[in-house]
Amino acid sequence: MALTRTATKLTHEAAIALIRAAADHATAMGQPQCVAVVDEGCNLLSFIRMDGARILSIESARRKAETAASTGRATGGMGPELEIKLAIATEGRMTNLKGGVPIIIDGAVVGGIGVGSGTGDQDREVAEAAIKAVFA
Amino acid sequence: MALTRTATKLTHEAAIALIRAAADHATAMGQPQCVAVVDEGCNLLSFIRMDGARILSIESARRKAETAASTGRATGGMGPELEIKLAIATEGRMTNLKGGVPIIIDGAVVGGIGVGSGTGDQDREVAEAAIKAVFA
Amino acid sequence: MALTRTATKLTHEAAIALIRAAADHATAMGQPQCVAVVDEGCNLLSFIRMDGARILSIESARRKAETAASTGRATGGMGPELEIKLAIATEGRMTNLKGGVPIIIDGAVVGGIGVGSGTGDQDREVAEAAIKAVFA
Amino acid sequence: MALTRTATKLTHEAAIALIRAAADHATAMGQPQCVAVVDEGCNLLSFIRMDGARILSIESARRKAETAASTGRATGGMGPELEIKLAIATEGRMTNLKGGVPIIIDGAVVGGIGVGSGTGDQDREVAEAAIKAVFA
């Protein structure tokens, strides 16, 4: 019986690089954003709220990141029959708002990034651009 | 006037056996799961989160177990006109997400088991398989 | 710049073995216990409430485990000038009640075990006995 | 009657620079830290959790930053007769744990930085070093 297993974790340098890359992409896009990065345990690793981003997106960006890290999938794809039930059963931590993208390395989910303040499509674009900039 | 009554309660050995059986079934199925067992008072008896199961299912699996123990029925059967109202009125403890199954012995509800991380059908299958393996 | 690092995580088999060993030790001691195991991210891995253990220890056992996993030290050693402030600042998650012990493998904290329902000394004894039984 | 006034606010570039400088100082010190920066509205601006920092300090570091931004003083100086009452009355947001330092520019409090995972003295040193590195 194996008592331990080996896992890959993001470093805090990667977490800083992700919010840096997200902010740069959001600046180029002209839409200030809140950006949260969590690890595979859904614990906050890094965060940035850009000048002009929404205060109420501080929390929702974090929840998008948690949802992506927990499910291993980009947020926004749950069916309408499930999304509200899942949100309530997790005290709002699981959200189907677009803008959460899992961080997957060698097939393993090592965390998630969540972006909020723009449209859902803008939020997702920033999340994907940050991951691409750092891990490509 | 009877002042007391006799109740049947699950032992902690049964509670361990249930998460053991659930984990074995989930392993055979290839879908890691969170599994929670509660007693008839909706209080947690046992819990296991398998390698690779969802962090955000820790809480929702427990709520599925609570709902099944409280109602005496498998979760997933409430009408859409009721499920959200009941969820909100219980601060999310009552959920209609599939995967909660009551544990019924000689006609009495003695607890519930809740499973989460897979599809609703997978979750329910693991819950039913665990009860069958332990009590059949 | 390293983007990832390798970490050791407990398997769910280790998590089951820990609550099994804790329950056996508590039975031999004659004091039923609540036992919680969390990973290094303070997320619940496994739990057992023994027949006759305290309902209100369900939560406090979990918090003892979280505190030990977060600090890398057994609970009970904080100074009186710090313990209440830390408890409030973490919404009660950090506790200085005895009975939480970190799980350390090759120098790395991989989680924590928290035990509650007995005296503080009994709780700690059970936690230490479980770790010793599984990892010795 | 003046209806508006001009305020000085931190930019997100300053917020990133602060967590960067804090992480560098903490690395040199050999004590990984959680670092939170909030604006004068006590809303989160930036955050970093370093490799090996405490999970339970994610929240307390943020609260140290909030307390410093709200009071305009470094945390740790309240009298014992006040600190617990203030903590409870603010649902734990106000804390007297050391490690929170206000960010003051031209006499105006523009935010706060909170650091946690080390000793109180280490936490405060990192907070002060970050402010000095960015604003000196």
Side-chain angles (χ1 to χ4, degrees):
Chain A
M1 180 179 77
L3 295 173
T4 60
R5 60 192 171 98
T6 299
T8 299
K9 294 184 84 82
L10 293 172
T11 61
H12 67 259
E13 291 299 342
I16 292 178
L18 283 164
I19 58 173
R20 175 77 268 169
D24 290 344
H25 192 89
T27 297
M29 179 189 263
Q31 172 58 55
Q33 295 279 19
C34 290
V35 183
V37 177
V38 303
D39 64 16
E40 89 297 342
C42 290
N43 289 308
L44 191 63
L45 268 175
S46 65
F47 176 83
I48 189 68
R49 172 165 54 92
M50 296 172 67
D51 309 336
R54 296 181 176 179
I55 296 292
L56 297 189
S57 296
I58 296 172
E59 193 57 33
S60 56
R62 185 171 174 172
R63 291 172 179 202
K64 292 175 185 179
E66 288 190 60
T67 302
S70 182
T71 63
R73 292 185 209 151
T75 57
M78 293 176 209
E81 76 290 356
L82 270 184
E83 60 183 8
I84 302 300
K85 280 180 267 193
L86 283 166
I88 296 175
T90 58
E91 296 194 335
R93 291 178 75 189
M94 186 167 283
T95 178
N96 201 27
L97 290 166
K98 268 193 188 175
V101 176
I103 304 169
I104 300 176
I105 296 180
D106 294 336
V109 179
V110 297
I113 180 168
V115 178
S117 283
T119 65
D121 286 339
Q122 287 177 315
D123 296 349
R124 183 180 291 182
E125 179 184 319
V126 170
E128 288 173 343
I131 294 173
K132 192 174 170 188
V134 174
F135 292 102
Chain B
M1 181 180 73
L3 294 174
T4 59
R5 61 192 173 93
T6 300
T8 299
K9 293 185 83 84
L10 293 172
T11 61
H12 66 259
E13 291 299 342
I16 293 178
L18 282 163
I19 58 173
R20 175 77 268 168
D24 290 344
H25 192 88
T27 297
M29 180 189 261
Q31 171 59 54
Q33 296 279 18
C34 290
V35 183
V37 177
V38 303
D39 65 16
E40 89 297 343
C42 290
N43 291 308
L44 191 63
L45 268 174
S46 65
F47 177 83
I48 189 69
R49 172 165 54 94
M50 296 173 67
D51 308 337
R54 295 182 177 183
I55 296 294
L56 297 187
S57 296
I58 296 172
E59 193 58 32
S60 55
R62 184 171 174 173
R63 290 169 180 210
K64 292 175 185 179
E66 290 188 58
T67 302
S70 181
T71 63
R73 293 186 210 149
T75 57
M78 294 175 208
E81 76 289 357
L82 269 183
E83 60 182 7
I84 301 301
K85 282 179 263 194
L86 283 165
I88 294 174
T90 57
E91 296 196 333
R93 291 179 74 188
M94 186 167 285
T95 180
N96 201 28
L97 291 166
K98 269 193 188 174
V101 176
I103 305 170
I104 300 176
I105 296 179
D106 295 336
V109 178
V110 297
I113 180 169
V115 178
S117 283
T119 65
D121 286 338
Q122 287 176 315
D123 296 348
R124 182 179 292 179
E125 179 184 319
V126 169
E128 289 173 343
I131 294 174
K132 191 173 170 189
V134 173
F135 292 103
Chain C
M1 180 180 76
L3 297 172
T4 60
R5 60 190 171 99
T6 300
T8 299
K9 292 183 85 80
L10 294 172
T11 61
H12 66 259
E13 291 299 342
I16 293 178
L18 282 163
I19 56 172
R20 174 78 268 168
D24 290 344
H25 192 90
T27 297
M29 179 189 264
Q31 173 58 54
Q33 296 278 20
C34 290
V35 183
V37 178
V38 304
D39 64 17
E40 89 297 343
C42 291
N43 289 306
L44 191 64
L45 269 176
S46 65
F47 177 83
I48 189 69
R49 172 165 54 93
M50 295 172 68
D51 310 335
R54 295 182 177 181
I55 296 294
L56 298 188
S57 297
I58 296 173
E59 193 57 31
S60 57
R62 185 171 174 172
R63 291 171 178 203
K64 292 176 186 179
E66 288 189 59
T67 301
S70 182
T71 63
R73 292 185 210 152
T75 57
M78 292 177 211
E81 76 290 356
L82 271 182
E83 60 183 8
I84 302 300
K85 281 180 267 194
L86 283 166
I88 297 175
T90 57
E91 297 193 336
R93 292 178 75 189
M94 187 167 285
T95 179
N96 201 27
L97 290 166
K98 268 194 189 175
V101 176
I103 304 169
I104 300 176
I105 296 180
D106 294 336
V109 179
V110 297
I113 180 168
V115 178
S117 283
T119 65
D121 286 337
Q122 287 178 315
D123 297 350
R124 183 179 289 181
E125 179 184 321
V126 170
E128 288 173 345
I131 293 173
K132 191 173 172 190
V134 173
F135 292 101
Chain D
M1 180 180 72
L3 294 174
T4 59
R5 60 191 173 95
T6 299
T8 299
K9 294 183 82 84
L10 293 172
T11 61
H12 66 259
E13 291 299 342
I16 292 178
L18 283 163
I19 57 173
R20 175 77 268 168
D24 290 344
H25 192 89
T27 297
M29 180 188 264
Q31 172 58 55
Q33 295 278 19
C34 290
V35 184
V37 177
V38 304
D39 64 17
E40 89 297 343
C42 290
N43 291 306
L44 191 63
L45 268 175
S46 65
F47 177 84
I48 189 69
R49 171 165 55 92
M50 296 172 68
D51 309 336
R54 295 183 176 182
I55 295 293
L56 296 187
S57 297
I58 296 173
E59 193 58 31
S60 55
R62 185 171 174 173
R63 290 169 179 209
K64 292 175 187 179
E66 290 188 59
T67 302
S70 181
T71 63
R73 294 189 207 146
T75 57
M78 295 177 209
E81 75 290 356
L82 270 183
E83 60 182 9
I84 301 302
K85 283 179 263 194
L86 283 166
I88 294 175
T90 57
E91 296 195 333
R93 291 179 76 188
M94 187 167 285
T95 179
N96 201 28
L97 291 166
K98 268 193 189 176
V101 176
I103 304 168
I104 301 176
I105 296 181
D106 295 336
V109 179
V110 298
I113 181 167
V115 178
S117 282
T119 66
D121 287 336
Q122 287 177 314
D123 297 349
R124 183 179 289 179
E125 178 185 320
V126 170
E128 289 173 344
I131 293 174
K132 190 173 172 188
V134 173
F135 292 103

